[in-house]
Amino acid sequence: MARYKALSAELDPCARQLVERLRGLKDHGELTTRHLAAKTGYSAKSWERYLGGTSLPPREAVEALARITGADPVPLIALHEIAADTWDSRLARTPAEPVTPIGSAAPPSAAPPTAVLPAALPPAPAPAPGRFPHIALAAGVLALSVALLAALLLLLRLDEDATTAVVAAPPATTATSPPPSYACRISRVDGRWSAGLNKGRNDEIVYGATGADVAEAQCLLRRAGISPGGIDGMFGPLTLRAVKAFQQRSGLVVDGMLGPRSWKALRG
């Protein structure tokens, strides 16, 4: 399993959970960042940032990783949407954080502090008609900008609170359900090899399939001397590679699909 740097303590909990899920899928599929770059279209450097928690991965990158590892993309996409909202809210709040206390002086070259101008403007004496019209115009523009910024920050905060309260629960629920476990019980039944998991069915299965049929095939591939990875009932990249290797060794069409001929060869 790859070693990762500890995630920043400032990272939002939803973004932290998404990164940990992506790390787990990468490790389960025994993939490197170069493999991810070749299979998803996103560079290895980009995946290093995504898995390091320094950059939020695009939704398409999350879907691509779920696809190549055979994982269910729905909970990952839901978690990504929550993380994207909170990530954008954090970025939107960053410029407003440095606020100059009321009454303190700001450097001439610095931008006017947004939290001070509305309180400071009313007491200022109004310029005489015809004198320095640009001062009145600048004051009006600044007051309007501050009002718009305050409204935007309020909307972002309300949206963040509502999203966290309503949507954040489903990913935690799905994480508590343990994956099914399978045990290979290799034996000869009526002259054919069986792992005792799917009652001798020879149904066609393809990449992305899950269940007892996939676990049966994984057991028989291991019996044939070709490792499919773990016996987890998930037709992922490692199982696909093992199926193709077995088909090539058996003189079958190398299509990565387990049909009647491939099952017959597996069962001997």
Side-chain angles (χ1 to χ4, degrees):
M1 182 178 295
R3 292 185 177 180
Y4 301 101
K5 292 182 178 179
L7 296 175
S8 172
E10 299 178 358
L11 192 62
D12 181 83
C14 295
R16 175 184 298 273
Q17 189 175 3
L18 176 64
V19 172
E20 291 174 350
R21 293 277 189 88
L22 297 181
R23 287 179 174 182
L25 291 177
K26 171 184 173 294
D27 293 341
H28 181 75
E30 299 181 1
L31 300 170
T32 65
T33 53
R34 291 186 178 180
H35 292 155
L36 294 177
K39 293 176 179 292
T40 65
Y42 293 87
S43 68
K45 290 292 185 182
S46 297
W47 277 109
E48 289 177 2
R49 293 194 300 271
Y50 301 157
L51 297 173
T54 59
S55 179
L56 184 68
R59 171 174 173 159
E60 292 78 7
V62 175
E63 292 176 340
L65 180 55
R67 183 178 63 255
I68 65 176
T69 56
D72 183 5
V74 174
L76 291 174
I77 293 173
L79 188 59
H80 177 272
E81 291 178 355
I82 302 170
D85 289 339
T86 55
W87 193 285
D88 293 341
S89 299
R90 184 189 66 178
L91 294 179
R93 291 196 298 269
T94 301
E97 290 178 356
V99 178
T100 303
I102 297 176
S104 61
S109 60
T114 58
V116 177
L117 287 175
L121 284 175
R131 294 182 59 191
F132 308 110
H134 63 281
I135 297 178
L137 178 60
V141 171
L142 287 174
L144 179 60
S145 300
V146 171
L148 290 175
L149 180 58
L152 177 60
L153 291 177
L154 178 60
L155 288 175
L156 289 173
R157 175 60 61 86
L158 292 175
D159 181 68
E160 175 185 354
D161 294 342
T163 302
T164 302
V166 176
V167 189
T173 302
T174 57
T176 58
S177 56
S181 58
Y182 300 95
C184 299
R185 297 180 178 87
I186 303 297
S187 62
R188 295 285 284 183
V189 179
D190 296 332
R192 304 171 65 199
W193 288 111
S194 171
L197 295 175
N198 73 341
K199 299 181 180 180
R201 291 192 302 270
N202 293 335
D203 297 339
E204 182 178 279
I205 54 176
V206 297
Y207 183 81
T210 59
D213 290 344
V214 179
E216 176 88 4
Q218 290 172 332
C219 290
L220 295 178
L221 285 167
R222 179 173 291 181
R223 188 209 66 82
I226 302 176
S227 174
I231 309 300
D232 54 8
M234 297 174 58
F235 201 138
L238 298 181
T239 301
L240 177 64
R241 183 175 61 188
V243 169
K244 289 183 176 181
F246 178 79
Q247 288 174 331
Q248 184 175 12
R249 190 180 73 181
S250 302
L252 301 172
V253 176
V254 182
D255 56 6
M257 300 170 53
L258 273 174
R261 293 185 177 181
S262 296
W263 276 113
K264 182 178 180 180
L266 276 175
R267 295 194 183 280

